[in-house]
């Protein structure tokens, strides 16, 4: 019986430790891949929401009477997560994956006939160029989506 135990071979402690280290390195690589895919998915979700916000704002603007459409002049509220260069417009807050995100939206209206900014009750203007710009911040980086449409009298 004693002889039988001596003939059995197994793994030494060094072999087990080396195998665990190799396994650890493989799992660390997989963890980095998972984190990268989660970040990429979140960027896509934020971009899709920015597209929805821009489309909503454009439809809202297109439903207004033609003579009342002008560029945004209202200041961005203090505390909004908007770049410093983004001075006028609105902030839309959306809840995505249990977090609240600010989308900064700005409307710019351009009178195509008179080559100037839109003004109220301008009877000489028949076509306006509407540009909606949405900016959001993710992990310290600013992202921009711009949508343009024409509106005729």
């Amino acid at each position: 019986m004693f002889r039988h135990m001596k003939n059995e071979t197994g793994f030494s402690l060094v072999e087990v430790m080396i195998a665990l280290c190799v396994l650890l390195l493989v799992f660390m690589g997989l963890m980095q891949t998972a984190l990268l895919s989660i970040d990429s998915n979140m960027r896509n979700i934020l971009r899709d929401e920015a597209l929805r916000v821009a489309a909503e704002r454009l439809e809202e603007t297109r439903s207004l009477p033609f003579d009342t459409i002008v560029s945004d002049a209202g200041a961005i509220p203090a505390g909004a997560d908007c770049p410093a260069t983004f001075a006028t417009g609105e902030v839309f807050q959306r809840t995505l994956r249990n977090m609240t995100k600010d989308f900064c939206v700005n409307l710019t209206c351009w009178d195509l006939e008179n080559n100037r900014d839109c003004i109220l009750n301008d009877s000489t203007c028949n076509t306006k160029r509407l540009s909606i710009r949405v900016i959001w911040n993710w992990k310290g980086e600013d992202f921009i989506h711009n949508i343009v449409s024409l509106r005729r009298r």
Side-chain angles (χ1 to χ4, degrees), residues 65-111:
F66 183 83
D67 289 329
T68 63
I69 300 173
V70 293
S71 298
D72 283 340
I76 295 289
D81 188 18
C82 298
T85 58
F86 201 88
T88 61
E90 294 181 65
V91 176
F92 287 79
Q93 284 192 335
R94 299 293 169 95
T95 301
L96 307 162
R97 289 193 175 183
N98 296 326
M99 73 172 191
T100 302
K101 196 72 189 140
D102 288 343
F103 292 91
C104 308
V105 182
N106 177 272
L107 165 68
T108 305
C109 181
W110 190 255
D111 180 351

Side-chain angles (χ1 to χ4, degrees), residues 43-143:
R43 283 182 187 216
N44 289 337
I45 288 170
L46 291 171
R47 186 196 66 230
D48 290 345
E49 192 61 34
L51 292 171
R52 273 191 283 283
V53 167
E56 286 174 16
R57 180 69 198 273
L58 182 63
E59 289 305 314
E60 173 189 315
T61 303
R62 290 178 61 87
S63 69
L64 294 173
F66 183 83
D67 289 329
T68 63
I69 300 173
V70 293
S71 298
D72 283 340
I76 295 289
D81 188 18
C82 298
T85 58
F86 201 88
T88 61
E90 294 181 65
V91 176
F92 287 79
Q93 284 192 335
R94 299 293 169 95
T95 301
L96 307 162
R97 289 193 175 183
N98 296 326
M99 73 172 191
T100 302
K101 196 72 189 140
D102 288 343
F103 292 91
C104 308
V105 182
N106 177 272
L107 165 68
T108 305
C109 181
W110 190 255
D111 180 351
L112 291 178
E113 274 104 23
N114 300 313
N115 201 22
R116 64 176 182 206
D117 282 339
C118 298
I119 57 175
L120 286 174
N121 301 320
D122 183 9
S123 61
T124 64
C125 176
N126 291 315
T127 306
K128 293 182 178 183
R129 177 183 178 263
L130 307 174
S131 176
I132 308 264
R133 183 174 56 146
V134 180
I135 297 179
W136 68 99
N137 186 301
W138 177 247
K139 292 190 172 181
E141 187 178 352
D142 292 334
F143 294 89

Side-chain angles (χ1 to χ4, degrees), residues 10-30:
F11 294 109
S12 70
L13 186 58
V14 173
E15 292 171 330
V16 170
M17 293 301 288
I18 290 173
L20 287 175
C21 287
V22 169
L23 211 57
L24 176 69
L25 291 175
V26 168
F27 282 131
M28 286 179 68
L30 289 174

